[in-house]
Amino acid sequence: MPTVSPKRWWALAVLATAQFMVIMDTSIIGVALPEMQKDLGFSQGDLQWVFNAYVIAFGGLLLLGGRLSDLLGARRVFTAGWGVLIAGSVVAAAAQTAWAEVVGRAVQGVGGALIAPAAMTLLMTLFAHDPKELGKAMALYGAAAPAGGTAGVFLGGVFTEWLSWPWVFIIYIPIGLATLAATGLLPAVAPSRGAIDVLGAASVTAGLALAVFAVVRAPETGWGTTQTVLQLTGAAALLTLFLVLQKTMRRPLMPLGIWRVPRLGSANLGMALLGAAWIPMWYFLNLYLQQVLGYGAFASGAALLPMTVLLMVFMTAITARLPARFGAKPLIGGGLLVLAAGLLWLSAVEPSGSFAVDVLPASLVAALGMSLAYIPAMMAAMSGAPAEQAGLASGIVNTTYQIGSALGLAALTALATSQGAGRLGDLPALTDGYSAAFTTAAAIAAAGGLITLLTMRPDRAPAPTPADPAEA
């Protein structure tokens, strides 16, 4: 019988904080970008790399992070990841040139790629003894991710408006040090035997990075140009090489047999499409608030707080109960369809709109859909994996969410720009561009919901209903 840690709920607080901070790192820089561009000399085209350097390093290295978590021990990798994230934050905060800023952001992404899968492995270790407690723990941990993404926009506005843009990175230093001091609360997970598949790690990371790079650059270079075609072809070749290596190597980075785990494939597809719809939503919603409705950085962030509150309350108080009662399949599929409805509502934004009419109700519907789908998708992806592959399964599902987010944002940015979102000061054109992005994101979410409902296996049998999270 597994040992039950008496400090497991305190340990969960450490893990949830890590999840919150890692995901917040993808969003907190949004409202600070104009000031960073002015101070560091970014060109308009290169400014996007402040965001994408993090996402590419994070998404491209998550599989390796999951494998290292299994081989070296989850607590050790979690601790190392925070050390790397702190170092990247120092570089990003102190940067005096554009290239130094991009390097700092990439180092932060490496740290995040080590932290995220290790944290999930530690969570499963702490709470695998009791399905009721695991449901509550997953709800609290899962709520930290979307809340971190939304809170990043709000805190970025606070720091940028009242302090200065380096504070969006400085904040990670004291929190990181406090987290390192609390790692003694975490269980010491025994490492497993095996070797690191360096060639596999290099090919999948390079392939994912090149794919994101091609999609990000395509709006500027052209989708049909030789450069874009070669980049996408190269990405496909590298990812094909990765699959060949995983099939032929003795100790691969991602044993292909893991895809026989029930519902892993369908849950990962759902997560990818969830990220591709959700992340562009808050990105363009923030731009609509600032560039069309005229909100400042702080007011724009504050306007997103109702979504954060709904996510936190619903995930912690309600979503924890639902998988045991209904199973993952209807929650993931239904949640994506509810998200699609909220996005379609947002697509009706007007140049002379208002927060109360055009933004608040639709954004709450979208947040409800996110809160229904996210935790069940994570649990479905992880639930069937054996203990020695828990870190790998976590790395896979986090990778699909992050890469889906990056590709979705890149593609919808290109679409929005082509529909008028690049014409600063022209409110009808900006609104048309953002409306097109919301409409397409709604289609992505709807497709994810329908695919999930049609392809995902149902749960084998309902588990007992979790106790009220307030009783924890």
Side-chain angles (χ1 to χ4, degrees), residues 46-60:
D46 290 339
L47 184 61
Q48 63 186 311
W49 288 105
V50 179
F51 175 81
N52 284 310
Y54 180 90
V55 171
I56 290 173
F58 187 22

Side-chain angles (χ1 to χ4, degrees), residues 56 59-61 63 203-213 235 239 399 403:
I56 290 173
L61 291 170
L63 279 178
S203 60
V204 70
T205 302
L208 291 173
L210 188 56
V212 174
F213 180 84
L239 294 175
T399 296
I403 296 301

Side-chain angles (χ1 to χ4, degrees), residues 80 117 260 296 416 440:
R260 291 195 290 268
T440 307

Side-chain angles (χ1 to χ4, degrees), residues 8-18:
R8 61 192 179 279
W9 294 105
W10 288 106
L12 176 63
V14 176
L15 299 177
T17 299

Side-chain angles (χ1 to χ4, degrees), residues 315-351:
M315 281 189 172
T316 56
I318 300 175
T319 304
R321 302 172 180 272
L322 298 181
R325 186 170 299 174
F326 300 106
K329 177 179 177 176
L331 293 174
I332 301 169
L336 280 161
L337 292 176
V338 172
L339 173 58
L343 285 162
L344 194 60
W345 193 347
L346 277 173
S347 71
V349 290
E350 296 285 346

Side-chain angles (χ1 to χ4, degrees), residues 6-32:
K7 298 179 180 179
R8 61 192 179 279
W9 294 105
W10 288 106
L12 176 63
V14 176
L15 299 177
T17 299
Q19 173 79 331
F20 182 93
M21 298 300 289
V22 166
I23 301 302
M24 189 175 76
D25 211 356
T26 65
S27 63
I28 195 171
I29 52 91
V31 295

Side-chain angles (χ1 to χ4, degrees), residues 21-30 33 36 40 42 47-58 84-85 87-93 95 98-112 165 168-169 172:
M21 298 300 289
V22 166
I23 301 302
M24 189 175 76
D25 211 356
T26 65
S27 63
I28 195 171
I29 52 91
L33 287 176
M36 296 171 66
L40 300 178
F42 279 101
L47 184 61
Q48 63 186 311
W49 288 105
V50 179
F51 175 81
N52 284 310
Y54 180 90
V55 171
I56 290 173
F58 187 22
V84 174
L85 182 61
S89 301
V90 171
V91 173
W99 70 266
E101 186 62 47
V102 171
V103 168
R105 289 290 288 162
V107 173
Q108 283 187 308
V110 174
W165 66 260
V168 302
F169 304 115
Y172 286 90

